[in-house]
Amino acid sequence: MDLITVTRKERQAFDVRVRRHSVTSDMSPGDGGQDAGFAPVELLAGSLGACIAMMVQCYCDAHGYTDGDVGVNLTLELADHPKRIGAIVVDVELPQGVPQDRRDAVRRVAEQCVIHQTLMQPPRLDVDIL
């Protein structure tokens, strides 16, 4: 995997870079930021949504369900003690024509995305202070 780097832009805003791509992460004004980009928790949820959307779109395309595109909407619920994402509600919109009896298969495909699997089985995190 390529190295991901995070560098400060200004105040609470940071650039997140990988290869030739960049996204800004910032906090809302109520949390001391300027809302110049996604909050970190939104990046995490957005990664989950993108992963599910890509997997489900591939499934739909492979099975000929091409009357429309896959869409994913996510809602975060924050929790305290410790402060964290307590729940993520994921709503997947399917193209027209996906039969009702294929919905469980689509759910299994969505649940196999790397981000979903990572959240279900958290990785070891090593934080080194340099």
Side-chain angles (χ1 to χ4, degrees):
M1 298 295 286
D2 293 304
L3 180 67
I4 299 170
T5 60
V6 180
T7 55
R8 187 175 186 192
K9 286 179 74 169
E10 62 180 328
R11 298 182 62 179
Q12 297 264 7
F14 286 79
D15 272 332
V16 181
R17 295 182 175 277
V18 63
R19 294 182 309 283
R20 65 183 189 282
H21 309 289
S22 174
V23 65
T24 297
S25 183
D26 194 5
M27 301 302 289
S28 68
D31 291 324
Q34 296 178 310
D35 200 25
F38 295 94
V41 295
E42 294 164 339
L43 284 172
L44 178 64
S47 294
L48 173 63
C51 189
I52 289 172
M54 289 175 190
M55 296 282 291
V56 172
Q57 188 71 61
C58 286
Y59 173 88
C60 289
D61 291 348
H63 289 84
Y65 308 128
T66 57
D67 186 13
D69 295 322
V70 171
V72 177
N73 297 302
L74 301 99
T75 305
L76 300 177
E77 297 174 11
L78 296 180
D80 291 316
H81 311 296
K83 186 77 165 179
R84 67 195 182 288
I85 298 171
I88 303 173
V89 177
V90 181
D91 294 320
V92 180
E93 299 172 6
L94 298 176
Q96 298 294 320
V98 177
Q100 193 66 35
D101 66 348
R102 299 308 306 155
R103 303 289 169 120
D104 285 340
V106 171
R107 179 186 308 278
R108 287 191 299 274
V109 167
E111 291 174 347
Q112 289 306 308
C113 95
V114 172
I115 306 300
H116 183 278
Q117 288 296 309
T118 299
L119 293 172
M120 298 306 293
Q121 301 174 43
R124 183 189 80 246
L125 296 175
D126 296 322
V127 179
D128 294 325
I129 307 300
L130 306 177

